[in-house]
Amino acid sequence: MRTRSIVLAAVAAMSLAACSSGSSGGAYGGGGSTSTSTGTSGAATVATADVGDLGTVLVDGTGRTLYLFESDTGTTSTCTGGCAGTWPALVTDGTATADAGADSGMLGTTTRDDGTTQVTYDGHPLYLYSGDSTAGDANGQGIGGVWFAVTAKGAPAKAASGTSSSSSGGGYGYP
């Protein structure tokens, strides 16, 4: 368990470092013209799932938690370069679809600097977190005070108990 705590702390520290190393745009990304995106080929699916203390939040088609970045400006992603390596965009090759509790009227898209199409929800670009390895993980919750899982209403999720929400991370490595 101690090793897991140390690993999670290291991942969180690297995430903050990666997202603060943009050539401009301040902390947590921005400025670079290169981005790394992820997603399955074809149309992305956005659904909801119960994720630990967070309750019901948005997930992708494989059940991985989706996040918003409070430093984004409207539908424009400011997470590029090294930040996008840690926080890959949820991208789509077609129209994103809502499933299981997600509101199709809140889904949209935005074009990233690299030309890929990123899925948005209630105007927020959506991201995955590289530190989440399985469905139900929420290890990115609260990192830097700007990364949050997204509720079905499009708001940042807050843990019911006021603690970290990772179903397996135990809350280690968060500021």
Side-chain angles (χ1 to χ4, degrees):
M1 188 59 140
R2 180 166 170 75
T3 302
R4 180 184 193 120
S5 298
I6 292 169
V7 169
L8 287 172
V11 167
M14 289 186 298
S15 298
L16 288 171
C19 290
S20 64
S21 63
S23 59
S24 65
Y28 308 107
S33 60
T34 319
S35 66
T36 303
S37 302
T38 190
T40 57
S41 60
T45 299
V46 175
T48 60
D50 184 38
V51 177
D53 290 340
L54 293 178
T56 303
V57 297
L58 299 181
V59 296
D60 72 357
T62 64
R64 290 185 63 201
T65 303
L66 295 172
Y67 298 89
L68 63 78
F69 182 37
E70 288 190 330
S71 297
D72 281 341
T73 305
T75 60
T76 302
S77 172
T78 60
C79 179
T80 60
C83 179
T86 301
W87 297 94
L90 177 66
V91 297
T92 187
D93 289 334
T95 302
T97 57
D99 195 16
D103 183 345
S104 62
M106 296 178 86
L107 281 176
T109 58
T110 188
T111 302
R112 294 181 56 79
D113 287 349
D114 65 0
T116 58
T117 302
Q118 184 171 6
V119 179
T120 62
Y121 193 83
D122 193 32
H124 301 287
L126 296 177
Y127 304 88
L128 299 156
Y129 176 54
S130 63
D132 289 346
S133 58
T134 62
D137 282 352
N139 296 317
Q141 176 66 13
I143 290 183
V146 293
W147 290 100
F148 297 97
V150 186
T151 69
K153 293 183 179 182
K158 305 294 180 181
S161 65
T163 61
S164 171
S165 62
S166 171
S167 61
S168 61
Y172 297 101
Y174 300 113

